[in-house]
Amino acid sequence: MKALQAHQLSKTYRKSKQPALDSLDLEIDAGQIFTMLGRNGAGKTTFLRIASTQLLPTSGTVTVLGLDAVKDAKELRGRIAMAPQEAETIYPLTPRDHVLLSLRMRGMEKGEATKRAQEALDALELTEVADVNSDWLSGGLKQRVIVAMVMRTDADLIFLDEPTIGLDPVNRRRVWDQLTRLKQSGKTIVLTTHYMDEAEALSDSLVIINKGKVMASGTPRSVKAAVTSRTTRVDVFDKFNLSELGAFGHVVTIAGRFRVLTDAEAAKRLGDEAVARNASIAISPVTLDDVFVDIVGEAERGEENGR
Amino acid sequence: MYYLGFTPMVRNPLFMAFVFSTPFTLLFILFVASNGTALPYGLAGALTMITTELGLFVGTDLATYKLQNRFQDMVVASPVSPLIYMFGVALSELIFGAPALLILFGLIAGQGATLGALLSCLGVVILLWITTTSLGFFFSAYAPNTQNAFIINGFITTMLSVLPPVYYSVNVLPSFLVPLAVVIPTTEASSLFQGAIGLGYSIEPTSGFAALLAATFIMLLLVSFRMKWRET
């Protein structure tokens, strides 16, 4: 069953000539964690805002949980929840107040809301600061408060716009655990992130968008396999120059060193050559990060050449 | 209302002091400068100004929840209707002002106002509050950032409750300014308060009340047509 279907979805903001979304088609299965990847301004937040009934599209349709996000918004709003990007806590409320406010405004009875608020605070390790003025919390704690606000709602589908931004690796994993638990309880999670490891670790399926268009979609593994035959990456630290490495595959310069994206056979040849030169290299499978840079970079290069 | 009104008021009573500060300062200045004789005008003015502030603060709050906290995004994507949200935020703001309003009603009663006069003051407060709250809603939808929302709020508060005949009688204005003053709802409200306190009505009460009612209706209409819940 599909939790979300977008068909030819476009959005052009009034003061912009470029579309934020450009005839976007995508489908999300129910009970999945679905991730949207893209550069800043790629259209991820615009999509989330349209699907969560906050913004009207210019054209196209979005069906969420079988309901039209434009025509059936009122009915749909009872079944979704949203944690927006860069949300801030409200002074002088405490983390507990925030979670309770979120649950109570959705019509949850006080006793149940109190119980669930405690669960959400415990799950995100906010118990110790549960009754502290949110203004005194660190940025990471505040971000967890925002996530906690939607964690224990009755919503069937939860939108999270960059939910782990500003969190340290330990707390990012804590949020991942909770999102996985939500999925196991039958909820659908749609999130955006800039962290490729997060997308790879969490997502059942994902989409890479660039300038409002879908560049690739599928499972993390299928996206990696489908979009590139370059399955291996070789980080070269010394004793090679750019033109030499070009013979082994696609070369990317990262912080003064070279990364060669290539297939296993060429990686082996490069490895042999490195041994012969006594060069330092590291060989590993390509990550989603490499694929993302490859896809988005390729699209940008294509546009530049077309000009 | 509990989380956005009562809780902040208890945790930070400065919110309340802020509501009190300007209207009561002007009241004090009038009282001292007139040797006490202008106290009734001061009371009518303070009641008008506090009610106006409470309505307009709603706009600042909404702009903050929308642009800074992004709380409104969470509300839109929830079963809460725009009307309930706005009503909740408006009532939350009213909680901050309730002590000030109670003090003013007490002082007005102390000036010998009858129960009927106090009830009519209450009716005017409600109408003016709806009018200025609607105005607050309206500009919050168009404020590009919270800083602008604060600036607009301060500007409109001054334009509505300090400059027009709110702390003074419309009769002392030069005649060419009177038509301009009487189209401002705070002028009508203050005139009705002044009448109820026993200063005499500078605007005929029935027409003043009708004008205030019309302003309330127009502002509500404007908000219902122009208020942005879902962005375009």
Side-chain angles (χ1 to χ4, degrees):
Chain A
M1 188 195 148
K2 301 294 175 199
L4 190 152
Q5 290 169 296
H7 180 62
Q8 291 292 297
L9 191 67
S10 295
K11 176 71 190 176
T12 304
Y13 290 100
R14 223 177 291 160
K15 289 178 182 171
S16 170
K17 287 175 187 167
Q18 293 290 325
L21 292 178
D22 191 358
S23 304
L24 187 123
D25 286 304
L26 65 84
E27 293 191 337
I28 301 172
D29 288 330
Q32 276 200 344
I33 296 181
F34 181 88
T35 305
M36 301 188 83
L37 294 167
R39 297 181 65 188
N40 296 325
K44 306 182 297 291
T45 298
T46 298
F47 177 80
L48 250 58
R49 287 175 61 77
I50 291 173
S52 61
T53 74
Q54 296 173 56
L55 180 69
L56 287 169
T58 307
S59 60
T61 58
V62 198
T63 309
V64 182
L65 303 169
L67 298 163
D68 188 304
V70 175
K71 292 176 195 155
D72 307 319
K74 201 174 168 188
E75 196 183 339
L76 176 59
R77 285 173 179 146
R79 297 183 60 195
I80 59 170
M82 165 83 175
Q85 190 185 98
E86 291 173 353
E88 286 182 20
T89 50
I90 300 168
Y91 173 81
L93 300 186
T94 64
R96 190 187 304 282
D97 291 333
H98 279 85
V99 183
L100 278 169
L101 170 63
S102 166
L103 297 175
R104 296 281 284 142
M105 78 180 185
R106 299 180 67 90
M108 197 174 284
E109 184 267 323
K110 194 180 175 187
E112 180 66 14
T114 306
K115 187 176 136 247
R116 289 197 189 198
Q118 189 60 53
E119 288 169 4
L121 294 164
D122 289 344
L124 289 166
E125 297 209 356
L126 289 164
T127 318
E128 270 185 36
V129 294
D131 299 306
V132 170
N133 184 336
S134 298
D135 255 24
W136 301 343
L137 305 179
S138 68
L141 282 168
K142 286 179 183 171
Q143 181 60 27
R144 273 148 65 193
V145 172
I146 301 299
V147 175
M149 287 175 80
V150 295
M151 203 59 98
R152 295 291 286 125
T153 63
D154 279 330
D156 297 319
L157 193 152
I158 301 172
F159 295 99
L160 298 142
D161 200 354
E162 299 190 16
T164 58
I165 196 154
L167 297 187
D168 63 57
V170 174
N171 282 312
R172 276 175 62 208
R173 277 158 184 76
R174 187 164 288 138
V175 171
W176 296 359
D177 286 344
Q178 294 310 313
L179 295 181
T180 307
R181 282 187 192 182
L182 281 178
K183 183 186 89 166
Q184 285 162 352
S185 70
K187 294 184 192 293
T188 306
I189 314 288
V190 180
L191 63 96
T192 70
T193 183
H194 286 292
Y195 301 118
M196 299 299 150
D197 59 334
E198 181 164 298
E200 205 156 4
L202 270 182
S203 317
D204 295 297
S205 58
L206 59 87
V207 64
I208 297 176
I209 62 173
N210 190 45
K211 296 188 175 169
K213 287 185 174 177
V214 173
M215 306 303 291
S217 64
T219 64
R221 180 179 285 193
S222 73
V223 167
K224 281 194 284 185
V227 299
T228 178
S229 57
R230 300 163 188 143
T231 56
T232 309
R233 77 179 190 194
V234 185
D235 287 316
V236 181
F237 299 98
D238 55 16
K239 295 179 183 166
F240 283 89
N241 62 42
L242 183 62
S243 57
E244 286 175 310
L245 291 171
F248 293 95
H250 178 63
V251 187
V252 183
T253 307
I254 299 169
R257 62 187 164 77
F258 300 116
R259 175 169 289 172
V260 184
L261 301 174
T262 186
D263 56 35
E265 197 181 312
K268 187 175 177 303
R269 279 194 286 116
L270 179 54
D272 291 342
E273 185 64 32
V275 170
R277 295 189 193 189
N278 199 21
S280 301
I281 64 163
I283 302 178
S284 56
V286 291
T287 62
L288 202 54
D289 200 61
D290 300 316
V291 173
F292 179 81
V293 172
D294 202 25
I295 291 173
V296 175
E298 207 65 58
E300 309 265 307
R301 278 191 294 279
E303 272 181 24
E304 277 167 20
N305 293 339
R307 272 179 211 147
Chain B
M1 199 168 89
Y2 174 79
Y3 293 105
L4 302 178
F6 184 73
T7 305
M9 187 179 78
V10 170
R11 295 210 184 127
N12 190 353
L14 270 178
F15 283 128
M16 243 181 340
F18 181 62
V19 174
F20 273 80
S21 58
T22 313
F24 278 83
T25 302
L26 289 173
L27 173 63
F28 178 75
I29 291 169
L30 265 185
F31 177 72
V32 173
S34 70
N35 236 346
T37 55
L39 178 66
Y41 282 108
L43 290 174
L47 192 55
T48 309
M49 189 177 201
I50 282 182
T51 310
T52 305
E53 274 185 346
L54 293 176
L56 291 172
F57 282 158
V58 172
T60 317
D61 278 359
L62 285 177
T64 307
Y65 295 148
K66 182 182 169 191
L67 301 167
Q68 189 174 315
N69 303 115
R70 308 263 172 200
F71 174 62
Q72 190 172 308
D73 288 355
M74 297 179 107
V75 179
V76 173
S78 83
V80 178
S81 72
L83 199 67
I84 294 287
Y85 174 61
M86 290 172 199
F87 196 60
V89 174
L91 282 179
S92 304
E93 206 58 66
L94 200 56
I95 287 176
F96 293 122
L101 289 174
L102 282 175
I103 290 172
L104 282 172
F105 269 91
L107 290 171
I108 290 170
Q111 293 289 305
T114 61
L115 183 64
L118 288 173
L119 286 175
S120 97
C121 283
L122 185 65
V124 174
V125 163
I126 291 169
L127 281 182
L128 184 62
W129 176 68
I130 295 171
T131 307
T132 52
T133 298
S134 306
L135 193 62
F137 285 147
F138 183 75
F139 80 70
S140 79
Y142 293 92
N145 52 55
T146 48
Q147 287 85 352
N148 268 16
F150 277 100
I151 292 167
I152 296 168
N153 180 34
F155 179 74
I156 300 178
T157 302
T158 306
M159 287 300 115
L160 286 182
S161 55
V162 180
L163 203 57
V166 165
Y167 277 90
Y168 57 92
S169 168
V170 73
N171 295 331
V172 301
L173 273 180
S175 56
F176 71 95
L177 283 176
V178 172
L180 197 66
V182 294
V183 295
I184 300 171
T186 44
T187 304
E188 315 290 347
S190 187
S191 167
L192 289 164
F193 291 142
Q194 289 166 10
I197 293 170
L199 292 167
Y201 293 96
S202 45
I203 299 169
E204 201 275 313
T206 317
S207 63
F209 194 78
L212 189 58
L213 200 64
T216 308
F217 183 70
I218 290 166
M219 282 313 301
L220 279 174
L221 263 185
L222 192 66
V223 164
S224 62
F225 282 122
R226 299 304 300 264
M227 184 71 196
K228 291 179 186 170
W229 188 237
R230 178 156 34 179
E231 288 171 34
T232 53

